[in-house]
Every structure is written in C-alpha cells, then in structure tokens.
Amino acid sequence: MNESAETTVRHRIDYTGAKMGMWIFLFTEVLFFGSLFLLYSVFRDKYTAEFHKAATELDIVLGTANTAILLTSSMFMATSITLVRKGKYGLSIFCQAATILLGIVFLINKYIEWGVHISHGIYPNSPALLEMSRGKIIFFSLYYVMTGLHGLHVLIGVFVISGTLLFTARRKINETDFVKLENTGLYWHFVDIVWIYLFPLFYLIT
Amino acid sequence: MVMDNEAAMKAPVSFYGEEGRFKGIFSWIFSTNHKRIGIMYLVAILTFFSIGVILGILMRINLISPGKFISERTYNSLFTIHGVIQIFLFIIPGIPASLGNFFLPILIGSRDVAFPRINLMSWWFYMIGGAIVILSIFTGGGAPDTGWTFYAPYSIRTTANVSLALVGVIFLGFSSIFTGLNFITTIHRLRAPGMTFFRMPLFCWSLYATAWTQVLATPVLAITLLLIILERAFAIGFFEPTLGGDPILYEHMFWIYSHPAVYIMILPAMGIVTEIFPVFAKRTIFGYKAIAFSSLSIAFFGYLVWGHHMFTSGMSDTARVIFSLITFMVAVPTGVKVFNWIATLYKGSIQLDSPLIYSLTFIFLFSIAGLSGLIIGTLSLNLYLHGTYFIVGHFHYTMFGGAGFGFFAGLHYWYPKMTGRMYNEKTAKIAWLTIFIGFNILYFTMFILGLEGMPRRYFQYQPQFRTNHIISTVGSWILAAGLILMFGNFIRSLFRGEKAPMNPWGGKTLEWTIPSPPPAENFEKIPVIEHGPYKYE
C-alpha cells in the first residue's frame, strides 16, 4: 500500500484511492437513505393497518415496469465498463447511452405516476390528503419524499453518465484509466439498489 | 511574506511564494494545495469564531439586566446564531479542516491529500454554507430563533428564517463529509514508505477516527434538516404531531448525528495535545497503542449515547438506563488518554512553553467537563439538572475548555511552522492566564447557577440569580480581553515576529524536518520511515 506514496504527485490517478473514496461516499449515501428507511419503519409500526390500505392505491404495474427498467439499465452500465476495459469504445458508448435513455424513461414513468396522484388531489398538504387518516398522510409523504429523493439521484446519475459518455468519446476514459466510469457504475448500482428496497416497501407489501 | 526565511534560502520556495495558474487572491481561492486550503480554512474559522464570541458577549450583557439592552426575540436569535456559528462554523470544522488539512499530509510524509480538488470544493462548500447562515440572519422573517438544535415542531411553525439557515447548515455538512472522505483515503493511501499505521503520529489517528465519524454521522443530519425544510415548504408531517408525525423522532435523528459530532469536535483536540506532550517533556509518548485505540473506541461509543440528550424528552425507562450506562462507558477510554498523557510527563524534562501550558489546561478543564458529564449522565440527577445552566456550563467546559483550548494549543505549537515566524512567548503566557481566569469565572459560575435552579435559554430570571449572572458576565469580558491579546499576538508576530527555525521545539515528527514555512510540495524527496514518531530515548 505504501509504495503508492511515491506516485502521488497531484495529477496522477491512484486507482485504489479513487475507488476507496467512492465507496466511502456510498456509505454516506446509505446513511442518508437509511435515515428515511428508519422513519418508514417507525411509522409503519405505528400505523400498520393504514399503511397496508394506502399501499393498495399505488400502481403496481408502473412500479414493476420501473424496476425492470432500472435493472436493465444497470446491466448496460456494467457492460459498458467491461467494454471500455477491452478497448471497445464504440460499443461502450452505446451501452452508456442506453443507460441514460433508460434512466430518463424511469423518470418519465415516475412523472406519470406522480401526475396521477396529484390529479387525484393527493399531495402533501392537499385538502384531499388532510381529510384522510394520519397514517395515510404519513404514508404518502414518505412516498413522495423517498421516491422524490431517489428520482433526484437518478437525475444526477443521468447527468454524470452523460459526462462519462463524453469522456469515453474523447478517450479520457480508456483501457488504462477507467476509474471514473467504474465509480459512476458503482453510483448507478447503488441508486438501483435503493429502488430495489423502495419497490417492495411501497408497492408490494400491502 | 516570509520568503526571505533562512531555511527557505537553501530549500525550495515556500508554499506562500508558489507560482500557480492564478495570481493574487485567485492563487488562494482556486488553490488545491492542502496548506493554502488549511490557511484559508483557519482564517475563515477564526473569523466566524470571533463573530460567535461577540454574539455570546451580547447575550451575557443582556443577562446583567434583562430587557434593558435587547428584546426577548433578539435574545432567542442571539443564542441560536451563537450556537449555529460556534458549532457548525467553528468547532466542527475547526481543527480537522484547518490544522488537519495543513499537517496531516506532512505528518504522514505525503505531498498532498488524496483528492486535492475535493479538498478545495469542501472549502467552497464551507464558505457558501457560512455565507448562507449569515444571510439568514438579515433576510426573510428574521433571524432563526429555534436554538441551534432546530427542535420540531417549533422549527416547523416559527415564522423566522429557519429554512435558509438550514440550507446553509446542510452545505456545511457536505463540506464536513468531503473533508472526512478525503482524510480517510489520504491516511490509507498516501503514507510514506515505512510509515505503518502504528508509526503514524497520534494526531493522525485522532483525525482518522474523526473522519470516520464525519462520514458516518453527518448524512443523518443532512437528511434530518432537509426534512425540516420540506416540512416547512410542503407540510409532509413526519415531525408534526397534528399530521401524525412525531417530534421525539426528530430529536432522535438530530442527536444520532449531533452526539457523535461532539467527538468530531473533541478527538482532534485530544490528538493535538498528544503531539505536544512528548515534545515538551522530551519523552516518548506513554502507551501509544492505548491512545490510538482509545480514539477509535471513543468514536465508536460516541454513536451509542445520543439518548442522553433526551432523558427528559420522553423515552422508555429501559432505553434511559441503557443510554446512561453506555454514557458512563465513554469515560473509560477518555480516562485512558488522560492517564497516558500524565504518564508521558512523568520524569520528563519539561519545557513549560505556551503549547504545553494550553495542553495542561486542556486536561484540567476537560476533566471538569468530563466529571460534570458523569453527573448529568446519571439519570436521577439529570432529571433535575437537564433544563438548567449546569448543562450550559458542562457543554462549554467540554467544547471550549476541551476542543477550544486544544485548538489554541495547536495554534501555538504549529504557528512557527505555518507562518515561519515566532510569536512573543511572554505575551502568549499573559494571554493564556487572562483567558484561563476569564473562562473559569464565566463558566464555573454556570455550574452554580444550574445547581441553584436557573433554567437555561431564559431571557429573564429570578432576582436571587442576579449576582452570579453578573460575575459570569464579568468573566466573559476578561475572557474576551484574553482572546484579543492572543490573536493580537499572532497577528503582530506575522510582521514583527522573529524568524522561526526549522524545529523550534525539538519535535521529532516529520513537519519539523522541513523548512518553516514548508515548501509547496512539502518534501524534496519523500522520506522513508524507520521508527515510531516520538523517538526521544
């Protein structure tokens, strides 16, 4: 580990260091979302029956579709990294573009889903929601906050992958220096995993 | 400023004279050099500290004769902003971001931190966060009046400018996370050849433990405060009882961060005094590994005791007993450290210069802080004392007497290395004495006030508390005079001080093997380490 110290002149890239930094960043993300999962558990315990009823109002088809979309995008992301390591830049760019596209489709889906709820008058502090039971108010608030923050992470991911796509096109990401793409992949899989937990908690456990 | 330094003649140009891509102020605010970032942090942090001190003095002035000088509402804003500034802008980033940034890479024999650009970004986040907090005082519905803890549901309902202040604090949180992330990676990846973990100076160990706490606790604060903003903007109701939420849950989530944050503040200060004792006693540190592991275990236990802030908030008795028990356990690793420091001094050839005096004061004040902590960690006593000035006294002994004095010790210890000048030792000692006397008059009185039943945060009080309040306020003036003398000494010495030699204290760690101030890349050749850091015998 120590021999790396000689090679730390500012502009060189320390592969292991960069990966380590990314993993630590992901720990912080886990805690960030973890706090929300904590809130979910507490309120689910407090309002078990109402959470059960409220969950039936979510569209399981859209939710399942989004799960499939995000999982597929993760596959493209992972493939793009393998391709760069083999020097197949064109195909890698294609895979990154596919990841971006699927990310956008996910967000459009989410937009439609939110749109339906909002058109039914269900959004935080709406008159319709305030008339419902406290458990339902909290359920929908959790739904908006958790899927909203997750959606924000997808959006950020889309921008970051657009960046790595450009870098790959300019060969700044290449066979020997691909840690930026790998770290972006780690981030994308993390966002994917968060959804894997959100999906059952909001759509499946009814 | 100090280019004509004797040492700098032989060695490369110091980092102050480094030619970068930019000129003038931009050569600082866009610099990725850890030493420039450290200095910028230091200047910013001490500026915010001064603002916080002024607000504190205004509060004390009000308490001489409540209502004569400021209104109730202003008083609430004063203690809120005083708290937010001193906690989030001074003491949390304090040591790691300034002295840590400057010295961590040098102490482990590296040219910079692992991610220099993220380091610069963290400074920018800090400045943006600080600017937003200051802005929130003057805009919107008036300065926040919630206390620095932003307890729900009041923080959701007040018309004061809470949301903007919270945005600022979230920025500061991310700044803190980036610093932590950077330090962990730096310590793992950039140690010089032969610099094993157990050959690192102990300041690095304490920064390592701190960095993990910063990384693992701060996100919880960020999300909790974000939720308060969402509560205010959209009424999501998580912490609002009328919507089915639970305000106690807010307290839990807040303290899950904010208790570990106490150790973010104190651990680096413990690290600094651990560096100072061996140098000024000319002895190897006693119990190196015990100190290293006690840092880690303090950081670990720090996660499990947040409930002791909430003994009177409404928790099950089982939870309270457990939290109380674990709170007592934190005292064990802390005691280990204190005994090791004392043992280091035993039979040493002691050189009583200001860094050592500040370090000894640190032990003294921190012991009072720790022992008073055991008093309020006891459930039965806590119920009586929790809402009183006893807590304020305990808190300031810990944070100011502990972290603050540790910081001052570090400033005196490393001042020659950072600036290339020596400060006036005699003035430093007079300043120390003034600060020490003022500090104890100001805060020890609070223990007495608390035992007598003076409630904290109150604008008004019963007549029997008046005498002690006046004594305490006079203490704050003495303390302020001492601080002015100390900073005055530092500023004057920048221009008038003698040139500092490479190693004024006879230290054995790596920063004393390079010129004062250090060259841009620290080491001409990365050193090879063959032994532990405090080789005196």
Side-chain angles (χ1 to χ4, degrees):
Chain A
M1 196 181 263
N2 291 319
E3 59 275 19
S4 66
E6 278 297 345
T7 58
T8 51
V9 186
R10 232 164 278 160
H11 314 285
R12 295 239 198 113
I13 282 166
D14 169 17
Y15 173 81
T16 316
K19 284 285 276 292
M20 183 182 277
M22 190 63 200
W23 277 106
I24 297 170
F25 175 72
L26 291 181
F27 290 167
T28 70
E29 286 277 26
V30 167
L31 282 149
F32 192 75
F33 278 100
S35 316
L36 289 171
F37 284 110
L38 177 77
L39 281 178
Y40 179 96
S41 328
V42 170
F43 286 124
R44 181 153 198 119
D45 182 57
K46 195 171 174 188
Y47 302 113
T48 314
E50 286 156 296
F51 268 47
H52 176 81
K53 268 184 257 158
T56 54
E57 288 176 32
L58 297 185
D59 190 337
I60 199 165
V61 177
L62 277 179
T64 313
N66 260 351
T67 310
I69 289 166
L70 221 47
L71 281 175
T72 317
S73 78
S74 256
M75 180 196 77
F76 276 115
M77 188 73 225
T79 317
S80 80
I81 298 165
T82 316
L83 287 167
V84 157
R85 294 174 82 154
K86 289 185 175 168
K88 293 177 181 167
Y89 300 115
L91 271 175
S92 171
I93 289 172
F94 169 79
C95 285
Q96 289 177 52
T99 314
I100 294 170
L101 192 71
L102 288 169
I104 293 171
V105 173
F106 176 91
L107 288 173
I108 292 173
N109 243 341
K110 200 85 247 165
Y111 175 78
I112 294 171
E113 210 185 337
W114 276 31
V116 171
H117 291 303
I118 291 171
S119 70
H120 290 164
I122 298 178
Y123 52 89
N125 216 17
S126 71
L129 190 64
L130 288 183
E131 277 173 26
M132 294 183 187
S133 66
R134 287 173 163 194
K136 269 194 171 176
I137 296 178
I138 295 289
F139 179 87
F140 278 104
S141 288
L142 277 170
Y143 165 76
Y144 278 112
V145 170
M146 291 178 87
T147 60
L149 276 178
H150 176 260
L152 185 67
H153 276 77
V154 173
L155 188 66
I156 292 169
V158 165
F159 281 115
V160 175
I161 299 168
S162 309
T164 59
L165 191 149
L166 275 178
F167 277 147
T168 318
R170 291 189 196 150
R171 301 292 182 274
K172 278 188 179 170
I173 291 175
N174 54 49
E175 272 172 282
T176 48
D177 179 10
F178 49 83
V179 74
K180 282 196 188 76
L181 185 61
E182 236 186 329
N183 278 346
T184 309
L186 282 176
Y187 172 81
W188 192 254
H189 299 320
F190 169 79
V191 172
D192 193 6
I193 288 170
V194 171
W195 179 257
I196 297 292
Y197 283 95
L198 289 180
F199 175 57
L201 288 182
F202 284 106
Y203 297 83
L204 294 186
I205 320 176
T206 55
Chain B
M1 165 167 47
V2 268
M3 294 248 313
D4 52 345
N5 189 303
E6 197 184 320
M9 301 281 251
K10 300 173 271 172
V13 186
S14 93
F15 75 98
Y16 290 109
E18 183 194 12
E19 296 278 334
R21 264 197 296 169
F22 304 98
K23 296 256 173 277
I25 180 117
F26 296 106
S27 71
W28 283 87
I29 61 174
F30 294 132
S31 171
T32 53
N33 188 318
H34 69 98
K35 292 180 290 300
R36 288 195 171 213
I37 295 172
I39 295 283
M40 288 196 294
Y41 257 122
L42 188 63
V43 171
I45 282 165
L46 292 179
T47 307
F48 283 118
F49 172 67
S50 313
I51 298 174
V53 168
I54 292 168
L55 296 177
I57 289 172
L58 288 177
M59 280 155 63
R60 288 305 328 167
I61 288 177
N62 171 64
L63 288 167
I64 297 179
S65 173
K68 209 167 181 185
F69 310 102
I70 42 181
S71 68
E72 290 91 332
R73 173 61 214 270
T74 314
Y75 182 77
N76 290 350
S77 296
L78 276 180
F79 72 66
T80 304
I81 302 293
H82 169 79
V84 169
I85 288 180
Q86 298 295 47
I87 302 269
F88 293 114
L89 282 157
F90 169 60
I91 207 104
I92 287 181
I95 295 169
S98 61
L99 297 176
N101 240 325
F102 197 107
F103 286 104
L104 172 66
I106 302 180
L107 286 169
I108 60 172
S110 161
R111 297 196 193 281
D112 209 318
V113 291
F115 308 111
R117 277 185 291 186
I118 291 181
N119 202 15
L120 177 63
M121 185 167 78
S122 110
W123 181 77
W124 273 100
F125 269 53
Y126 173 79
M127 292 310 286
I128 293 169
I132 294 175
V133 167
I134 299 293
L135 193 67
S136 77
I137 303 175
F138 303 105
T139 53
D145 57 351
T146 57
W148 75 276
T149 50
F150 298 106
Y151 271 8
Y154 183 69
S155 59
I156 302 169
R157 294 173 188 168
T158 173
T159 54
N161 203 1
V162 169
S163 299
L164 193 63
L166 290 174
V167 172
V169 174
I170 291 172
F171 266 100
L172 296 171
F174 278 109
S175 158
S176 180
I177 290 174
F178 291 140
T179 304
L181 186 155
N182 220 335
F183 283 7
I184 296 172
T185 316
T186 305
I187 289 172
H188 274 285
R189 297 296 303 163
L190 299 185
R191 280 170 290 121
M195 175 71 81
T196 58
F197 259 85
F198 290 109
R199 284 183 187 165
M200 283 199 303
L202 284 157
F203 181 53
C204 306
W205 271 99
S206 73
L207 286 177
Y208 185 68
T210 309
W212 274 111
T213 315
Q214 283 175 299
V215 162
L216 295 180
T218 317
V220 182
L221 176 80
I223 186 71
T224 310
L225 298 185
L226 182 66
L227 289 175
I228 291 284
I229 296 176
L230 292 175
E231 291 271 10
R232 291 176 64 85
F234 303 111
I236 52 175
F238 296 163
F239 307 129
E240 173 62 75
T242 54
L243 295 174
D246 185 354
I248 302 285
L249 202 51
Y250 173 81
E251 290 187 31
H252 276 292
M253 291 183 67
F254 181 82
W255 288 113
I256 285 175
Y257 162 77
S258 295
H259 194 81
V262 171
Y263 300 100
I264 296 178
M265 307 172 203
I266 198 68
L267 278 170
M270 291 172 160
I272 287 177
V273 301
T274 315
E275 291 302 309
I276 290 172
F277 283 121
V279 174
F280 289 85
K282 296 286 174 286
R283 286 199 69 215
T284 312
I285 193 81
F286 184 88
Y288 177 99
K289 284 195 178 174
I291 293 181
F293 285 119
S294 65
S295 288
L296 294 183
S297 61
I298 289 173
F300 173 75
F301 281 122
Y303 277 96
L304 307 175
V305 296
W306 78 86
H308 70 218
H309 295 269
M310 302 167 55
F311 284 155
T312 55
S313 300
M315 247 195 309
S316 76
D317 284 340
T318 321
R320 290 198 287 185
V321 169
I322 292 170
F323 275 126
S324 177
L325 182 70
I326 306 176
T327 302
F328 288 135
M329 283 159 69
V330 184
V332 177
T334 314
V336 166
K337 275 182 191 288
V338 172
F339 288 129
N340 280 314
W341 291 326
I342 304 287
T344 303
L345 292 172
Y346 179 64
K347 283 188 175 172
S349 95
I350 289 170
Q351 176 191 342
L352 204 60
D353 288 334
S354 38
L356 184 66
I357 297 177
Y358 273 104
S359 303
L360 292 170
T361 321
F362 169 92
I363 294 187
F364 176 71
L365 297 177
F366 193 72
S367 300
I368 297 179
L371 294 172
S372 66
L374 293 178
I375 296 173
I376 44 182
T378 313
L379 273 179
S380 53
L381 289 171
N382 183 281
L383 298 183
Y384 174 68
L385 293 169
H386 194 86
T388 72
Y389 262 65
F390 197 87
I391 298 280
V392 186
H394 162 74
F395 179 82
H396 283 90
Y397 265 86
T398 326
M399 293 295 97
F400 194 170
F405 274 75
F407 192 26
F408 296 161
L411 283 179
H412 283 89
Y413 179 52
W414 280 316
Y415 182 90
K417 185 53 63 183
M418 288 192 289
T419 63
R421 302 277 177 162
M422 298 301 288
Y423 51 82
N424 184 321
E425 177 64 28
K426 202 174 166 194
T427 317
K429 277 181 180 146
I430 297 168
W432 164 80
L433 187 67
T434 322
I435 293 175
F436 181 72
I437 293 170
F439 178 93
N440 284 300
I441 296 176
L442 168 56
Y443 297 117
F444 200 84
T445 322
M446 292 188 179
F447 283 130
I448 300 165
L449 275 170
L451 284 171
E452 287 172 351
M454 169 73 207
R456 58 188 167 130
R457 300 195 196 92
Y458 275 32
F459 171 78
Q460 230 346 325
Y461 51 79
Q462 300 283 318
Q464 72 265 30
F465 300 126
R466 183 119 196 263
T467 317
N468 278 335
H469 270 302
I470 290 174
I471 293 173
S472 178
T473 303
V474 170
S476 79
W477 297 337
I478 300 174
L479 175 62
L483 289 173
I484 291 169
L485 195 57
M486 182 180 79
F487 287 127
N489 188 19
F490 283 151
I491 293 166
R492 187 176 180 277
S493 304
L494 276 182
F495 307 99
R496 300 274 178 82
E498 280 174 52
K499 304 241 156 56
M502 190 185 267
N503 189 358
W505 315 122
K508 298 283 184 185
T509 37
L510 286 175
E511 79 271 36
W512 306 114
T513 64
I514 57 174
S516 316
E521 300 252 293
N522 300 343
F523 303 96
E524 257 184 286
K525 198 172 165 294
I526 295 290
V528 178
I529 312 301
E530 277 149 2
H531 50 73
Y534 314 104
K535 203 171 182 324
Y536 280 102
E537 272 106 74

